[in-house]
């Protein structure tokens, strides 16, 4: 999944769940995209950080957060 697609998925999930914080939204995104993308996100997190911090799911959520925040900050 490309970063742009991930951001769109994040935005749609946020629209469906306006009361949640960003990390909760990221967790919902990981649940929505399924196990294959969860492994992809965790692997990318491992590549970015040089270490796997936490379990697979938490690493995938961390990757989603990093992508969203990086792209958000790049546009400011």
């Amino acid at each position: 999944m490309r970063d742009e697609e991930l951001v769109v998925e994040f935005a749609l999930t946020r629209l469906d769940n306006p009361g949640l914080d960003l990390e909760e939204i990221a967790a919902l995104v990981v649940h929505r995209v399924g196990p294959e993308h969860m492994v992809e996100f965790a692997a990318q997190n491992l590549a970015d950080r040089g270490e796997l911090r936490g379990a697979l799911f938490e690493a995938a959520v961390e990757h989603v957060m990093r992508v969203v925040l990086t792209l958000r900050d790049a546009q400011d």
Side-chain angles (χ1 to χ4, degrees), residues 19-69:
L20 298 180
D21 67 27
L22 295 180
E23 191 167 348
E24 291 170 320
I25 299 288
L28 285 175
V29 168
V30 172
H31 278 295
R32 278 186 169 180
V33 297
E36 287 182 20
H37 287 296
M38 179 173 42
V39 171
E40 175 189 338
F41 295 161
Q44 187 60 47
N45 192 44
L46 173 62
D48 292 343
R49 297 185 65 77
E51 64 180 341
L52 188 59
R53 295 175 41 165
L56 183 67
F57 181 79
E58 287 80 13
V61 170
E62 183 178 335
H63 173 72
V64 171
M65 289 294 299
R66 183 178 301 110
V67 168
V68 169
L69 294 175

Side-chain angles (χ1 to χ4, degrees), residues 1-11 67 71:
M1 176 177 278
R2 294 185 349 236
D3 289 351
E4 294 83 7
E5 295 170 317
L6 180 57
V7 169
V8 168
E9 184 67 35
F10 188 91
V67 168
L71 291 177

